[in-house]
Amino acid sequence: MYLTYIWRPVTGGRHAFPVRAREVPAGEQVAAYCGAEVDAAELHGRSEVDWVREKSCMRCWRILADRD
């Protein structure tokens, strides 16, 4: 089984993104499973404090949990 999504703490919460979002250059928008869009730069360089402070997006959670 291969990694198909990643969780990242970005502005507004910890969202799940398709794994290919890691390769998108800074300055371009990437969309989380829930539809939230952020600059790809936000997927990189996050600290452990960012992980603790941001809440998980429950919409992303439900979308991933309901996948086949």
Side-chain angles (χ1 to χ4, degrees):
M1 187 164 159
Y2 295 98
L3 182 65
T4 59
Y5 60 89
I6 54 173
W7 284 91
R8 291 293 186 268
V10 297
T11 302
R14 188 181 316 113
H15 291 276
F17 295 87
V19 72
R20 66 186 175 277
R22 294 184 301 184
E23 308 304 321
V24 175
E28 292 187 27
Q29 295 291 108
V30 291
Y33 281 91
C34 70
E37 293 189 0
V38 299
D39 187 305
E42 289 200 51
L43 302 184
H44 308 287
R46 297 309 225 165
S47 71
E48 290 182 27
V49 173
D50 294 327
W51 279 91
V52 172
R53 287 185 177 160
E54 296 293 346
K55 293 182 180 180
S56 291
C57 171
M58 295 313 294
R59 186 163 180 221
C60 282
W61 189 276
R62 283 188 295 277
I63 289 168
L64 291 173
D66 289 341
R67 288 175 38 175
D68 292 335

